[in-house]
Amino acid sequence: MCPYRLVLEHVTSRWGVLVLIKLLDRPYRFNELRRAIGNVSEKMLSQTLQTLERDGVVHRDAKPVIPPRVDYSLTNLGREAAEQVRALALWTHQRMDEVQKARKEYDAAKGRLDEQN
């Protein structure tokens, strides 16, 4: 797979999108981010954060204190990507009525075609 396709897959994945949008607000600690996103397993969030860190869009700041404290934030590159992803998410939210109407029309037309066959 082409490298740019992999990055696109990472930032537009189910959890990648949610992580990027949340981190636009502010830095988060791991469990705090997990609660803010909701319904994501610890393993999946950890993998998503590691992948986005490797791609240079998320910064992991581990502070040498007891108990350990790790904060996640966006890099400049990550902020740029997150703004793009957020714009797509906002568009989706704003156009959901039109999407649902199109789906109903499609399903109705498909139902008629299936009945004719």
Side-chain angles (χ1 to χ4, degrees), residues 18-33:
L18 297 174
V19 165
L20 291 174
I21 290 172
K22 274 296 169 198
L23 289 178
L24 267 172
D25 297 338
R26 62 180 178 80
Y28 278 85
R29 294 179 73 178
F30 183 87
N31 285 324
E32 185 181 33
L33 182 59

Side-chain angles (χ1 to χ4, degrees), residues 4-5 21 37 53 56-57 69 101-102 106 116:
Y4 78 90
R5 289 175 114 182
I21 290 172
I37 291 172
E53 182 183 7
V57 297
R69 179 184 173 106
K101 180 182 177 212
Y106 177 88
Q116 292 173 0

Side-chain angles (χ1 to χ4, degrees), residues 26-62:
R26 62 180 178 80
Y28 278 85
R29 294 179 73 178
F30 183 87
N31 285 324
E32 185 181 33
L33 182 59
R34 186 170 175 222
R35 283 189 302 274
I37 291 172
N39 205 27
V40 60
S41 71
E42 195 171 307
K43 180 181 177 183
M44 195 71 245
L45 180 56
S46 180
Q47 288 175 347
T48 300
L49 287 166
Q50 286 175 0
T51 298
L52 294 173
E53 182 183 7
R54 183 171 183 254
D55 288 342
V57 297
V58 167
H59 174 71
R60 181 180 184 272
D61 183 21

Side-chain angles (χ1 to χ4, degrees), residues 36-97:
I37 291 172
N39 205 27
V40 60
S41 71
E42 195 171 307
K43 180 181 177 183
M44 195 71 245
L45 180 56
S46 180
Q47 288 175 347
T48 300
L49 287 166
Q50 286 175 0
T51 298
L52 294 173
E53 182 183 7
R54 183 171 183 254
D55 288 342
V57 297
V58 167
H59 174 71
R60 181 180 184 272
D61 183 21
K63 294 181 176 32
V65 295
I66 298 174
R69 179 184 173 106
V70 179
D71 292 310
Y72 294 92
S73 60
L74 293 174
T75 63
N76 289 337
L77 188 62
R79 183 160 296 286
E80 195 176 320
E83 293 287 353
Q84 299 298 317
V85 168
R86 182 172 61 182
L88 181 58
L90 288 172
W91 175 87
T92 303
H93 180 73
Q94 292 167 348
R95 298 294 186 218
M96 202 59 221
D97 289 343

Side-chain angles (χ1 to χ4, degrees), residues 1-13 52 55 57:
M1 191 179 267
C2 296
Y4 78 90
R5 289 175 114 182
L6 280 173
V7 174
L8 184 61
E9 185 178 304
H10 298 160
V11 299
T12 61
S13 71
L52 294 173
D55 288 342
V57 297

